[in-house]
Amino acid sequence: MYARFNDIANALKGLGKVYPNHELVSKILRCLLKSWESKVTAIEEANDLSTLPLEDLLGSLMTHELRMKDQDKSDHKKRTIALKASKDESKEESDQDKEMAFLTKRIKKILMNKK
């Protein structure tokens, strides 16, 4: 996103339209998605946008993006397995044996992948 934004800003400079740094910073903050709203608010409150260098803004946004990706990865790793419940006792024992065999296979597969 930054590379494309920078290309547009440079093309406008070539045409004679020069934007001050604080306008470029505010334009980038305005174009971010809703999921970034909390980060945008934090940046606006913590920094003086008229003196914030564009590179510092970019670094802050990239750091936040990496944290969000790490958090998504850790959320995907937390999976749970739901077991079926049945009313028939004879069937219940058979289902439990099947589920136990399934869980055993899954655990073995996970352990083999980690080696």
Side-chain angles (χ1 to χ4, degrees):
M1 184 259 323
Y2 177 71
R4 187 167 182 213
F5 181 80
N6 204 20
D7 288 343
I8 293 170
N10 287 336
L12 287 171
K13 275 183 191 176
L15 295 173
K17 178 65 176 165
V18 178
Y19 287 99
N21 187 57
H22 69 276
E23 282 189 44
L24 297 175
V25 168
S26 63
K27 286 181 184 295
I28 287 179
L29 291 176
R30 278 195 314 251
C31 76
L32 293 173
L33 299 173
K34 282 276 189 193
S35 60
W36 290 76
E37 188 172 350
S38 60
K39 184 63 178 176
V40 169
T41 303
I43 289 172
E44 288 173 345
E45 290 180 359
N47 299 303
D48 181 15
L49 296 184
S50 62
T51 60
L52 178 66
L54 199 54
E55 294 78 20
D56 289 352
L57 173 67
L58 179 65
S60 178
L61 294 176
M62 288 175 71
T63 303
H64 182 66
E65 183 178 26
L66 290 174
R67 285 183 184 161
M68 286 180 10
K69 285 182 182 179
D70 287 344
Q71 189 176 21
D72 285 345
K73 286 180 184 177
S74 67
D75 287 347
H76 288 297
K77 289 180 181 178
K78 296 177 183 176
R79 293 185 182 169
T80 58
I81 299 175
L83 301 176
K84 296 179 188 177
S86 65
K87 294 179 182 177
D88 186 13
E89 289 183 23
S90 62
K91 186 178 179 184
E92 184 177 331
E93 290 176 13
S94 173
D95 287 344
Q96 285 178 348
D97 292 340
K98 288 179 184 177
E99 289 176 11
M100 186 59 84
F102 173 74
L103 290 174
T104 304
K105 286 179 185 177
R106 290 279 296 174
I107 290 171
K108 285 181 182 178
K109 194 176 201 180
I110 290 170
L111 291 174
M112 293 301 286
N113 287 339
K114 291 202 175 196
K115 288 181 182 180

